[in-house]
Amino acid sequence: AQRVTQPEKLLSVFKGAPVELKCNYSYSGSPELFWYVQYSRQRLQLLLRHISRESIKGFTADLNKGETSFHLKKPFAQEEDSAMYYCALWGGYQKVTFGTGTKLQVIP
Amino acid sequence: EPEVTQTPSHQVTQMGQEVILRCVPISNHLYFYWYRQILGQKVEFLVSFYNNEISEKSEIFDDQFSVERPDGSNFTLKIRSTKLEDSAMYFCASWPGTGAYEQYFGPGTRLTVT
């Protein structure tokens, strides 16, 4: 079975502070892992995927297979980063499994 | 860049009515999916569709739901007799089958059942 765990429902940080959104996963094979962002009831937007190892809007995420984690990080939070963030796992061919999401609130 | 599109963006219906949500996947994609997000909750998988048949479905996808690819471009989700708890955002997604490492999501249809 595939599972994604995001332990924090809400993360509040001050503008300029570092951000780390936690994600742990459970999957028997080699999954593709993603972070999606959703601003205020809008569409899901792909933020980044582990396979491309890119940095989008200053966010990065490193896949740690030993700890089965894929935490999302940003060194300096900005007010426009306030949104819901979903970690997601995909085993190919099958469904994407989403975590419960973390609401990031950046305090001015 | 090609995108998955969904219509309508918002649908309001009365309890007990049938609704059809429409999706146009990216043209060369072979795998199609529906997901649901109840307000304030996570995105949940409903069903996957390949080669004109359901390949996987969740426990949410009961007899009230059906999917169809009526022509070469559309992919539809039908809810036969809507209930209040069907109110949610419904996302369609597609995948080409090879050469891509993600599913491509549409913008969603917000369904409100009154």
Short mmCIF file of all heavy atoms in Angstrom, two decimals, chain A residues 12 35 66:
data_model
loop_
_atom_site.label_atom_id
_atom_site.label_comp_id
_atom_site.label_asym_id
_atom_site.label_seq_id
_atom_site.Cartn_x
_atom_site.Cartn_y
_atom_site.Cartn_z
N SER A 12 3.12 28.01 10.75
CA SER A 12 3.19 29.47 10.71
C SER A 12 4.63 29.91 10.89
O SER A 12 5.29 29.49 11.85
CB SER A 12 2.33 30.08 11.82
OG SER A 12 0.96 29.74 11.64
N TRP A 35 5.62 17.70 -4.95
CA TRP A 35 4.96 18.68 -4.11
C TRP A 35 4.02 19.50 -4.99
O TRP A 35 4.44 20.01 -6.05
CB TRP A 35 5.95 19.61 -3.42
CG TRP A 35 6.54 19.02 -2.18
CD1 TRP A 35 7.74 18.39 -2.05
CD2 TRP A 35 5.94 19.02 -0.88
NE1 TRP A 35 7.93 17.98 -0.76
CE2 TRP A 35 6.84 18.35 -0.01
CE3 TRP A 35 4.74 19.50 -0.35
CZ2 TRP A 35 6.58 18.17 1.35
CZ3 TRP A 35 4.47 19.32 0.99
CH2 TRP A 35 5.39 18.66 1.83
N GLY A 66 16.49 6.50 2.68
CA GLY A 66 16.72 5.83 3.95
C GLY A 66 15.67 6.20 4.99
O GLY A 66 15.18 5.35 5.73
#
